[in-house]
């Protein structure tokens, strides 16, 4: 029952699919948020995406989880737009810096070979 | 009375035989006869061939046989005992396809449908466990569980309806076997087989890649006779991630059942796993933790904004960190339940109280974990 982005249409609009339930729709990318740690800080290893059609939410790991290509792209787009809460990447940094940072996260979480955006 | 000539000694070795008392005796008669007798070896023109009955039982040993000349037609069926076969002498390519072997695929029989029965129509979505769709622009594919068109001795099959537009040559319905998930398959040869039924000729075939998708190899097409046929294909050496599936080249409806992937150059017939083993393989990649109203996070707070945590180990360790999907949860004196931590083997949820007193949140829909390497 994964909810994932099927089309990164524009900086203000993404198309998502809720796999098994067979529905989907459009979301505002700013609604995709990081999970919060116990101390209230944001965890840069997870992003939460809500289904626009029902109450379900999917928490995706940076490695990709159910849909590695889509999820990794979502992290790259998110860090390009917002920077990373760990402070390593600012929103004003070049996009390829954010992508390198996400790739490093992917390698740390699921190991080399998991990266699928090339 | 004329003389007659020998019949079994011919040519230069043929000798005359006096047949009447009035025949003149010639010394040459004896000369030729004795010369022929000296040459007698039962070959053509030198006497009668040896009758099988004239050979003593058990008198011909193996050294008298020419190498590589005894064919199976000369051996009585059912007479070769196991001791006659050299130890470790039966190679993989000498095995019959009905020799049971371990299936490397997950859910090769298409019996496990944890995500539901479909129809599934979205590109990259998973259908029956571990089998996903790869749909090109303009094409459409519908995948559903089917119980009426199954192969013999099968519970479920996959019904695929394909409408062609682009018609690319990669698998449209496939199982992906990541190189990191199957490190021991590198350098090996694999044989892939599947039972396929289709009424459109030259529309569906097996497609596989063993080099990470750089090149695809194909079985012959299904003939389109409307019956189940076993399509098979033998790979080259595995060098990277593997894709095993079917490719469509014409619009059609096809039924797929009983897929097998084995090491070696001899395809194998499908052999079902024990249902527990079949499900256990699937749980490695997709797991339903709670189906509804069976999970609860609860506590007693002395004030609002106090948090409790609940951890659930998975039934199967995942190959990578999974995606967690939470459906609707009911709440009493609490906020929304949230993921607090997640690894490839355990999940931790958190819940904060709204005010002092007992508080809880309970799932009303399934909680799923999905890890696709």
């Amino acid at each position: 029952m994964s909810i994932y982005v099927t089309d990164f249409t524009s900086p203000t609009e993404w198309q998502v699919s809720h796999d098994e339930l067979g529905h989907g729709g459009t979301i505002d990318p700013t609604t995709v948020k990081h999970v919060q740690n116990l101390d209230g800080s944001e965890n840069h290893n997870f992003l939460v995406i809500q289904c626009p059609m029902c109450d379900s939410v999917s928490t995706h790991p940076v490695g990709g989880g159910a849909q590695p290509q889509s999820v990794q792209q979502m992290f790259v787009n998110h860090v390009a737009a917002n920077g990373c809460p760990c402070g390593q990447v600012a929103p004003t940094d070049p996009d390829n810096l954010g992508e390198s940072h996400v790739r490093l996260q992917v390698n740390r979480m699921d190991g080399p070979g998991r990266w699928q955006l090339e | 009375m004329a003389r007659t000539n020998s019949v079994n000694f011919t040519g230069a070795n043929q000798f005359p035989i006096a047949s009447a008392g009035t025949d003149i005796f010639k010394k040459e008669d004896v000369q030729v006869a004795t010369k022929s007798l000296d040459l007698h070896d039962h070959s053509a023109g030198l006497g009668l061939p040896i009758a099988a009955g004239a050979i003593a039982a058990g008198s011909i040993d193996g050294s008298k046989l020419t190498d590589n000349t005894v064919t199976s037609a000369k051996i009585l069926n059912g007479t070769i005992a196991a001791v006659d076969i050299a130890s470790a002498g039966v190679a993989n390519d000498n095995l019959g396809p009905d020799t049971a072997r371990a299936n490397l695929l997950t859910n090769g029989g298409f019996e496990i449908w944890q995500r539901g029965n479909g129809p599934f129509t979205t590109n990259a979505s998973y259908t029956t466990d571990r089998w996903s769709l790869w749909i090109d622009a303009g094409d459409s594919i519908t995948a559903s569980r089917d119980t009426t068109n199954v192969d013999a001795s099968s519970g479920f099959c996959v019904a695929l309806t394909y409408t062609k537009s682009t018609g690319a040559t990669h698998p449209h319905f496939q199982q992906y076997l990541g190189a990191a998930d199957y490190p021991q398959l590198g350098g090996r040869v694999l044989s892939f087989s599947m039972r396929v039924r289709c009424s459109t000729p030259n529309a569906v075939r097996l497609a596989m890649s063993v080099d990470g998708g750089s090149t695809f190899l194909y079985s012959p097409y299904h003939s389109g006779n409307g019956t189940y046929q076993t399509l098979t294909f033998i790979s080259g050496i595995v060098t990277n991630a593997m894709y095993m599936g079917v490719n469509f080249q014409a619009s059609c409806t096809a039924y797929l059942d009983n897929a097998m992937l084995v090491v070696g150059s001899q395809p194998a017939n499908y052999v079902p796993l024990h249902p527990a083993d079949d499900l256990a393989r699937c749980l490695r990649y997709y797991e339903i933790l709670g189906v509804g109203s069976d999970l609860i996070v609860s506590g007693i707070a002395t004030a609002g904004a106090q948090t409790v945590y609940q951890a659930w180990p998975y039934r199967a360790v995942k190959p990578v960190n999974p995606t967690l999907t939470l459906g609707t949860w009911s709440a009493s004196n609490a906020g929304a339940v949230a993921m607090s931590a997640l690894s490839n083997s355990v999940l931790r949820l958190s819940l904060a109280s709204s005010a002092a007193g007992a508080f809880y949140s309970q799932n009303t829909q399934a909680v799923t974990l999905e890890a696709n390497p």
Side-chain angles (χ1 to χ4, degrees), chain B residues 217-288:
Chain B
L217 309 167
Y218 308 97
S219 74
Y221 284 101
H222 190 282
S223 70
N225 67 355
T227 67
Y228 268 105
Q229 298 176 359
T230 303
L231 302 184
T232 62
F233 197 82
I234 301 166
S235 79
I237 299 293
V238 175
T239 60
N240 204 331
M242 295 147 277
Y243 298 80
M244 303 291 158
V246 295
N247 168 254
F248 292 102
Q249 286 297 298
S251 299
C252 67
T253 294
Y255 302 97
L256 313 180
D257 214 341
N258 297 341
M260 278 290 281
L261 181 68
V262 295
V263 170
S265 57
Q266 179 60 256
N269 294 347
Y270 177 78
V271 177
L273 293 174
H274 186 282
D277 298 329
D278 215 7
L279 178 61
R281 288 192 184 192
C282 297
L283 292 175
R284 175 170 163 77
Y285 306 96
Y286 186 93
E287 179 172 338
I288 300 173

Side-chain angles (χ1 to χ4, degrees), chain A residues 7-8 12 31-32 44 49 53 63 65 73 76 83 85-86 102 107 115:
Chain A
D7 190 350
F8 297 92
T12 58
T31 63
V32 177
H44 68 161
I49 183 169
M53 303 293 288
Q73 187 65 59
V76 168
C86 71
V102 171
N107 288 341
W115 181 250

Side-chain angles (χ1 to χ4, degrees), chain A residues 1-101:
Chain A
M1 288 190 21
S2 164
I3 303 149
Y4 62 96
V5 180
T6 57
D7 190 350
F8 297 92
T9 316
S10 74
T12 58
E13 186 177 300
W14 290 349
Q15 307 304 315
V16 302
S17 172
H18 190 173
D19 234 359
E20 297 88 333
L21 296 188
H23 61 220
T26 304
I27 64 164
D28 178 351
T30 60
T31 63
V32 177
K33 302 287 189 185
H34 285 290
V35 167
Q36 287 195 337
N37 294 316
L38 296 181
D39 61 4
S41 62
E42 289 184 305
N43 186 332
H44 68 161
N45 282 326
F46 297 96
L47 280 174
V48 179
I49 183 169
Q50 175 140 15
C51 178
M53 303 293 288
C54 66
D55 291 335
S56 298
V57 293
S58 281
T59 303
H60 292 288
V62 68
Q67 292 284 347
Q69 195 164 17
S70 167
V71 170
Q72 290 173 12
Q73 187 65 59
M74 179 174 68
F75 273 83
V76 168
N77 288 15
H78 192 273
V79 77
N82 306 291
C84 189
C86 71
Q88 295 296 316
V89 184
T92 52
D93 284 334
D95 288 352
N96 56 7
L97 179 64
E99 181 170 330
S100 297
H101 181 65

